[in-house]
Amino acid sequence: MSDKYNDAIAASKVVEDDAAVSAAVAKILEENFDANNTPEVHKFLLNTVDLTTLNATDSPSSVAAFVERVNAFDEEHPELRNVAAICTYPNFAQVVRTVLDVSDVDVCCVSGGFPSSQTFIEVKVAETALAVEGGADEIDIVLNLGNFLDGDYEEVCDEMIEQKHACRDARMKVILETGALKTAAAIKKASVLALYCGADFLKTSTGKGYPGASLEAAYVMCECIKEYYEKTGTMVGFKAAGGVRTTAEAVQYYSVVKAVLGEKWLTNEYFRIGASSLANNLLSDILGEEVKFF
């Protein structure tokens, strides 16, 4: 069957062979990790963190306290750049926007039936629109995995496009849930579809229910972003999320992004890591003592 979705996938030359992807990642780390594992890179990585709280126990008061730590960081560590964003459930967008005093930290919300994407499209669109109205600068949605695995790419893309419209001026990050997709071939297909539906970022995982980020998934996603940029001139960001906890792990993702996409992507405008514990681990390594600031 020939249609615009399958045609876009077929036109991509990004590698699909899992063994080749693993070998490419191993080569990047062998050649670049040590050179990238520096205090300067650790400081940069802190500034890429989407500091995340996505708990059933979150409340307006707990989220407000979470935001206040980000406010306090600017005062207590003026020599360091703050985290990139605060990421919460959409019902807390207004809380974060109201409490946040730091101008260069964005408000990010998961949306669209996160983390399963299993709800009515009308609910997804409404949730996204309400989050943006509440003050979200960025919206993290989840690719409809069920429809994708069924091969119903038209439905998958229609949903993404509708949510993109609901984002208005907010940036849309599309979570591929790479731990459920598993193979390089499937991750490539999902990446191509998300890119052609207007994703502003490709994101690995929800961190809920399936294996989180992997360097192999990151490599394929970055190769798709690079190919899309070469075809369209549009820069799309990459976000690793789900299980990235240590400084060394963060440096590994940095190494892949730098090797595949280059220096232009080494800004928090185009590179993010979604995490709850990584910020403290990075800060501890930067300061040379264990710190639990956030």
Side-chain angles (χ1 to χ4, degrees):
M1 182 183 71
S2 177
D3 59 46
K4 61 185 178 181
Y5 310 107
N6 283 292
D7 289 348
I9 292 166
S12 174
K13 307 301 182 193
V14 171
V15 63
E16 296 185 2
D17 181 79
D18 291 314
V21 169
S22 294
V25 169
K27 186 170 186 285
I28 287 170
L29 296 182
E30 183 181 351
E31 294 178 354
N32 300 286
F33 178 83
D34 289 341
N36 291 334
N37 191 23
T38 67
E40 291 73 24
V41 170
H42 299 168
K43 291 174 186 176
F44 165 76
L45 287 167
L46 181 63
N47 187 231
T48 69
V49 171
D50 283 359
L51 195 67
T52 303
T53 181
L54 296 170
N55 303 310
T57 53
D58 289 344
S59 68
S61 61
S62 74
V63 171
F66 190 73
V67 177
E68 287 289 13
R69 295 308 294 156
V70 174
N71 290 338
F73 185 83
D74 256 26
E75 298 169 13
E76 296 188 34
H77 293 284
E79 77 284 5
L80 297 173
R81 295 184 69 187
N82 214 319
V83 296
I86 296 169
C87 185
T88 68
Y89 282 112
N91 46 308
F92 297 115
Q94 199 162 10
V95 174
V96 180
R97 175 57 67 204
T98 301
V99 178
L100 185 63
D101 291 334
V102 186
S103 60
D104 57 351
V105 175
D106 287 336
V107 178
C108 171
C109 290
V110 298
S111 185
F114 178 96
S116 67
S117 195
Q118 296 286 17
T119 189
F120 302 101
I121 182 58
E122 294 86 354
V123 173
K124 296 180 182 184
V125 168
E127 190 174 40
T128 296
L130 287 165
V132 173
E133 185 180 339
D137 303 298
E138 302 171 359
I139 298 291
D140 290 20
I141 69 163
V142 186
L143 182 95
N144 190 318
L145 285 169
N147 288 339
F148 175 82
L149 294 171
D150 271 359
D152 190 353
Y153 299 151
E154 183 173 11
E155 185 65 27
V156 170
C157 290
D158 284 350
E159 281 200 6
M160 283 192 282
I161 290 167
E162 284 198 55
Q163 290 182 83
K164 173 69 173 175
H165 289 158
C167 284
R168 290 177 286 184
D169 294 332
R171 296 203 291 172
M172 183 174 79
K173 305 195 193 88
V174 177
I175 305 167
L176 305 184
E177 199 67 292
T178 55
L181 298 178
K182 298 178 182 174
T183 66
I187 292 165
K188 169 184 163 177
K189 287 179 183 178
S191 296
V192 169
L193 294 178
L195 288 166
Y196 282 91
C197 289
D200 297 297
F201 262 82
L202 297 184
K203 177 179 171 182
T204 55
S205 317
T206 62
K208 310 277 186 184
Y210 291 96
S214 74
L215 294 164
E216 291 76 17
Y219 178 83
V220 174
M221 293 162 71
C222 288
E223 285 286 352
C224 289
I225 290 167
K226 178 183 179 181
E227 182 181 68
Y228 184 74
Y229 175 66
E230 289 170 349
K231 288 180 179 179
T232 67
T234 300
M235 288 179 70
V236 172
F238 167 77
K239 178 175 174 179
V244 185
R245 295 184 178 89
T246 69
T247 297
E249 287 168 344
V251 173
Q252 290 178 328
Y253 285 95
Y254 172 95
S255 298
V256 170
V257 170
K258 184 177 181 180
V260 176
L261 291 169
E263 296 279 350
K264 283 181 75 172
W265 267 262
L266 298 181
T267 159
N268 72 8
E269 186 83 4
Y270 295 106
F271 176 36
R272 298 284 181 85
I273 302 177
S276 53
S277 58
L278 175 63
N280 282 329
N281 291 331
L282 282 166
L283 189 58
S284 296
D285 286 332
I286 291 164
L287 299 177
E289 59 180 333
E290 186 175 359
V291 177
K292 293 185 178 178
F293 187 91
F294 295 104

